[in-house]
Amino acid sequence: MATVSIRDVHKSFGDVEVIQGISMEIASGEFVVMVGPSGCGKSTLLRMIAGLETVTSGEIAIDGRVVNDLEPMERNIAMVFQNYALYPHMSVFDNMAYGLKISGLPKGKIASQVQWAAETLGLAQYLRRKPRELSGGQRQRVAMGRAIVREPTVFLFDEPLSNLDAKLRVQMRAELQMLHQRLRTTTLYVTHDQVEAMTLADRMLVMSMGRAEQIGPPAEVYSKPATTFVAGFIGSPPMNLIRGRVAPGAELLSEGGARVRLPRPIPELAGRDVLLGVRPEHLEVCDEASALLTPNIDFIELLGSDLLVYGQLDAAKADSRIAARLNVSSGAHKGPLPLRFDVANMHLFDPQTGKRI
């Protein structure tokens, strides 16, 4: 196990700066997920840690040693790629043993390492098969096995589950969690899937346009998003953001003139423009007298135990996720729906900077 330090790291391709001064300390044995939309720079950052991309400025250190100028093989890391990168003409055993063979380990040591990894990953009965004879999930486990046989100090995963179907992704997430609990190897994991990030991470690095928007445990990132980007990216459906001005008393006057009652007065923000954030799952159907906002409903989808209600409040979306047992029909449902929310689930952001107030 090893610590990883990312210190004011920048990366430019020509005049385009794709990583803009990211800093983070990763503890030994920690599982950190870098999450963000396509093109945000997360894979580039991972590749710099691996030594596959150069660092324009800043430092990357593994276990206290700056590795900016070290070759990938000198960093004692192992990387698992999205496309598995298996040799199709080799058996599972040979794929997993390849890195150990070129490093000159004795055959007996190689055999015991591969057997241990295969048993750990449930691959012992497939060691003589070729990759084409395996399922997608089994191929991904082979790629993971090839990484763990080397006993690296750091695992790097670059969207390893994105080629799998939804059911298999859930299964592989559970296997990754159990593997990490067993090995406790420092792990950095890149994904654009927020569910993977929330379920796997000890801490998350949420990225946008080469910047770190927020770093923290998944529960903290979900419950206290630092910016409107994080609020809109983490959560499904994303957080509702209603732009308006805080009026005297407990009221927000939206840009289009709609009035939203607030759970409590906010005298310190009276007269100030804000973005009011409420997650869809924190909105509850209520009677008109108790309503804090009453969006016009466009459409309702049945999601088994829940209903996803798509609504509009002036120009802002006001979606809600409510229990299916409530008397609201799925399908087209034009008209108002009275909703309320608890003050503990209210978020306020600065509309200019996007930062949490």
Side-chain angles (χ1 to χ4, degrees), residues 24 47 66 73 87 106 131 221 264 284 291-292 294 302 326:
M24 186 179 188
R47 289 172 64 83
V66 176
M73 63 185 299
Y87 296 107
V221 173
R264 65 170 177 84
E284 302 175 350
L292 299 181
T294 308
L302 176 62
L326 295 175

Side-chain angles (χ1 to χ4, degrees), residues 301-307 323-325:
E301 290 180 336
L302 176 62
L303 303 176
S305 61
D306 295 334
L307 291 172
R325 66 179 180 274

Side-chain angles (χ1 to χ4, degrees), residues 20 31 61 106 114 157 175 258 292:
Q20 303 181 36
F31 197 123
V114 172
F157 290 90
E175 291 185 12
L292 299 181

Side-chain angles (χ1 to χ4, degrees), residues 203-283:
R203 283 192 301 154
M204 300 165 59
L205 165 60
V206 185
M207 293 180 61
S208 171
M209 300 179 68
R211 297 187 301 271
E213 292 280 336
Q214 188 169 359
I215 300 170
E220 178 183 297
V221 173
Y222 172 82
S223 61
K224 292 184 179 179
T227 66
T228 52
F229 174 83
V230 177
F233 187 79
I234 300 298
S236 182
M239 184 181 288
N240 301 302
L241 294 169
I242 302 168
R243 185 185 293 265
R245 178 164 294 180
V246 179
E251 195 171 60
L252 180 83
L253 184 62
S254 78
E255 282 188 326
R259 294 182 180 274
V260 178
R261 291 170 53 203
L262 302 175
R264 65 170 177 84
I266 316 176
E268 67 274 19
L269 296 180
R272 180 173 170 179
D273 290 337
V274 301
L275 281 169
L276 168 68
V278 186
R279 293 201 178 278
E281 55 269 34
H282 292 153
L283 287 168

Side-chain angles (χ1 to χ4, degrees), residues 20 32 76 91 132 136 142 160 170 189 235 247 262 268 314 316 339 348 352 355:
Q20 303 181 36
V32 170
N76 197 20
S91 67
R132 65 177 178 272
V142 174
V170 173
Y189 185 104
L262 302 175
E268 67 274 19
D314 294 335
L339 299 168
L348 295 171
Q352 301 301 318
K355 294 182 179 180

Side-chain angles (χ1 to χ4, degrees), residues 24 26-34 144 155-157 160-161 172-173 175-181 184-191 196-197 199-205 216-218:
M24 186 179 188
I26 299 162
S28 180
E30 193 173 19
F31 197 123
V32 170
V33 177
M34 295 183 277
M144 291 163 55
F155 283 138
L156 305 178
F157 290 90
L161 308 185
M172 288 301 298
R173 282 204 309 267
E175 291 185 12
L176 275 168
Q177 286 176 312
M178 289 187 289
L179 182 65
H180 183 252
Q181 289 169 5
R184 301 308 302 176
T185 304
T186 307
T187 301
L188 285 84
Y189 185 104
V190 160
T191 183
E196 283 182 30
T199 54
L200 289 172
D202 294 324
R203 283 192 301 154
M204 300 165 59
L205 165 60

